[in-house]
Amino acid sequence: MTLAPRSCGVGVGDEEERREVDSLSRKFWIALVLTIPVLLIAMGHAIPGLHVDAIVPRQIGKWVEFGLTTPVVLWAGGFFFTRAWQSIVNRSLNMFTLIAVGVGAAYVFSAAAVLAPGIFPESFRRHGEVDLYFEAAAVITTLVLLGQLIEAKARSRTGQAIKALLGLAAKTAHRVRNGQEEEIPVDAIQKGDLLRVRPGEKVSVDGVIVEGQSNIDESMITGEPMPVSKGAGDKVVGGTVNQTGSFSMRAERIGSETLLAQIVQMVAEAQRSRAPIQKLADTVSGYFVPAVISIAVITFIVWSIIGPPPAMAYALVNSVSVLIIACPCALGLATPMSIMVGVGRAAQTGILIKNAEAIEITEKVTHLITDKTGTLTAGKPEVVSRLSDKGTSERDLLQIAASVESHSEHPLARAIVETAKKEQIALREITDFHSTTGGGVSARLDGTRVLIGKEKFLADSGVTLSNELRRHADRLQEQAQTTVWVAVDEQSVGVLGIADPIKPTTKTAIRALHGRGLKIIMCTGDNRRTAESVARELGIDEYRAEVMPDEKIEIVKKLKASGAIVAMAGDGINDAPALAAADVGIAMGTGTDVAIESAGITLVKGDLMGIVKAMHLSRAVMRNIRQNLFF
């Protein structure tokens, strides 16, 4: 399949990113080891009880500082100067310009003081020696390297989303030719091939069912946990999971034409096309660098004209001093340290932040697009309503239904059985169990015939349906609940309403986000009636129903094009392209690996209140960085 070249491309990119991480890691650790003794020699006198001059004489110490700082600045931090030069050539001054100017000035001034101390006027000496600034150059270089390493590690993880998506594809298929069935690799499938799909297997490629019936888990595409009943003539999608029945299908789209391959492509393109944000430090540097250089030039001119003799020497030393004083300690230390502390605090509250970019953007978000199932709701069907008739208690109704459904593999059946277990209702023995695909189930319980399923299934089986139950069942369906009818001896005795319940904290989170001025848009693969019901109950601003993965990413792109800062919250494979395309992708920790790898932020508990906390944290971190940059 043509998915293979893409995966190879991802592998090549990953290899380059791994090399970058390894290189930065090696430079950081070596720089750290060399910087510590420089810092101790230069600042050791400030540590009580530590007499550095007694251990390392001043005349020797300055050469040690020079020897240790040189590889830190010129080797480990050499690429700072390369990027600074590029920024000057491109007329786009940034953080590296400021770092190169400050570190370069501190290093060159100190190196000149060691190698040619005679060029400095006597007034620049203290105890006969010119002050050195090697520790400033080394420390700033090391700390900026740490920030670059953290960012590189975050970037190296982006390819994991594509790897996880590629892992969803079926590896083999069962092809039927001349009445014979053979197992073949998916790569060997051709358009028009007849394929057999057994219960529990993945659908190998996109196609159409030609024979048989089954329930298929299409949550990969729609995000909805309820399986879809499929029969002859219905289309099926590669990567979805066949559940109960067996069917034959004709392959129609293979390789890069399949919907799964298109989702892979969308995620890859979204990750590549995300423009790197202009970091706050770069913005500050764009103004600060020209200002600092201008002040240094003015200082040189003023001292050369009115300074005491030797005027040119004073002018040179003082102008360089301006550059050293302006050395961006805040950029080297405050920014990465603030972000590291912020990431740590976030982790303590169940928020995992993949990269610094997510912290910087989250505070600016204006629109939140959210999936429904698994994000706003629990993502697992539960019995939420019970209507009983004919003198049957609600407990007995649940016991009858759970006893029969315990023999079924349908998700609705599992929801009924799980509810009975929670309420510690004992299941009774049944016999003569039968399942009708797309209809319901039947069995004998204590000599009575029990039927459970859709209203039509019971009516076709000769069951008398109560008009009162019908009215109540219609009301449940208006509330987006799936109704399961229960009949005993051809008389309806009750209806169970099954729905995906809204998470307990969702309403509070929505109110809090509205309070911060966010516009909330729900995009779901579910039907319009369910979407409308959930949106109305939660007070969501807008909703879009029956949305496919490519439509979600288009909604994100349109909002971004209009100038909005967009966050996307989701948990499913179908959300991955939009999570990667949004300014901030927020995945539920209870969701799929693909969604988590596509997002910049993961909420471990899958609780929407995590977004509120993440926004608060983002504002606090960025406020701290601004304060540091200002001072």
Side-chain angles (χ1 to χ4, degrees), residues 173-463:
H174 300 283
R175 183 168 60 190
V176 180
R177 277 189 177 173
N178 303 320
Q180 299 294 315
E181 194 173 302
E182 59 176 337
E183 185 172 327
I184 60 169
V186 172
D187 296 1
I189 297 174
Q190 300 296 319
K191 288 184 180 180
D193 280 353
L194 189 65
L195 308 171
R196 168 72 64 184
V197 184
R198 299 191 179 95
E201 290 183 342
K202 285 183 179 179
V203 178
S204 52
V205 293
D206 296 2
V208 63
I209 296 176
V210 295
E211 181 187 0
Q213 279 188 322
S214 185
N215 291 314
I216 297 178
D217 177 2
E218 293 192 335
S219 58
M220 179 191 86
I221 308 302
T222 64
E224 301 308 310
M226 303 296 292
V228 181
S229 181
K230 299 272 187 176
D234 290 330
K235 291 187 178 296
V236 289
V237 177
T240 57
V241 181
N242 180 32
Q243 292 197 329
T244 52
S246 176
F247 60 87
S248 297
M249 62 171 282
R250 183 175 62 252
E252 291 189 337
R253 295 196 295 181
I254 61 174
S256 61
E257 298 174 351
T258 66
L259 186 56
L260 178 59
Q262 289 170 20
I263 292 176
V264 172
Q265 184 69 7
M266 282 189 286
V267 172
E269 287 178 355
Q271 289 183 336
R272 282 199 302 268
S273 64
R274 284 188 66 179
I277 62 164
Q278 186 180 26
K279 294 183 176 64
L280 179 61
D282 289 343
T283 306
V284 171
S285 300
Y287 295 102
F288 193 51
V289 172
V292 168
I293 293 175
S294 299
I295 293 170
V297 170
I298 292 170
T299 301
F300 180 86
I301 293 171
V302 170
W303 277 87
S304 64
I305 296 172
I306 63 173
M312 294 304 291
Y314 277 110
L316 178 63
V317 171
N318 284 321
S319 61
V320 171
S321 297
V322 169
L323 297 177
I324 293 172
I325 292 167
C327 199
C329 301
L331 296 183
L333 175 60
T335 302
M337 290 306 292
S338 294
I339 288 172
M340 284 176 66
V341 170
V343 169
R345 288 290 297 274
Q348 291 172 3
T349 58
I351 303 168
L352 304 182
I353 298 174
K354 187 188 289 185
N355 53 51
E357 204 173 288
I359 293 182
E360 291 202 30
I361 302 178
T362 301
E363 67 156 357
K364 303 173 186 174
V365 169
T366 59
H367 290 63
L368 172 65
I369 299 175
T370 175
D371 178 40
K372 177 181 74 69
T373 307
T375 304
L376 301 174
T377 66
K380 186 178 180 183
E382 292 180 11
V383 177
V384 293
S385 301
R386 304 173 205 178
L387 305 172
S388 57
D389 197 12
K390 306 296 181 187
T392 305
S393 69
E394 290 186 359
R395 184 180 178 84
D396 288 344
L397 176 68
L398 185 58
Q399 184 183 48
I400 292 168
S403 298
V404 176
E405 294 284 23
S406 63
H407 291 255
S408 172
E409 292 298 319
H410 196 282
L412 291 181
R414 290 199 289 271
I416 293 170
V417 174
E418 283 298 317
T419 302
K421 286 181 179 178
K422 282 182 184 177
E423 299 185 14
Q424 298 182 334
I425 296 176
L427 303 185
R428 293 154 65 181
E429 291 293 327
I430 65 160
T431 58
D432 198 22
F433 175 84
H434 292 286
S435 175
T436 302
T437 302
V441 295
S442 63
R444 299 199 73 80
L445 176 67
D446 296 338
T448 60
R449 183 169 180 257
V450 179
L451 282 89
I452 302 173
K454 295 179 179 177
E455 180 181 349
K456 186 177 184 302
F457 171 68
L458 269 66
D460 291 346
S461 302
V463 173

Side-chain angles (χ1 to χ4, degrees), residues 139-161:
V139 168
I140 291 169
T141 301
T142 303
L143 289 171
V144 175
L145 276 170
L146 175 60
Q148 293 299 299
L149 177 60
I150 292 170
E151 287 186 25
K153 283 188 173 181
R155 286 195 301 271
S156 72
R157 288 194 290 264
T158 57
Q160 297 301 317

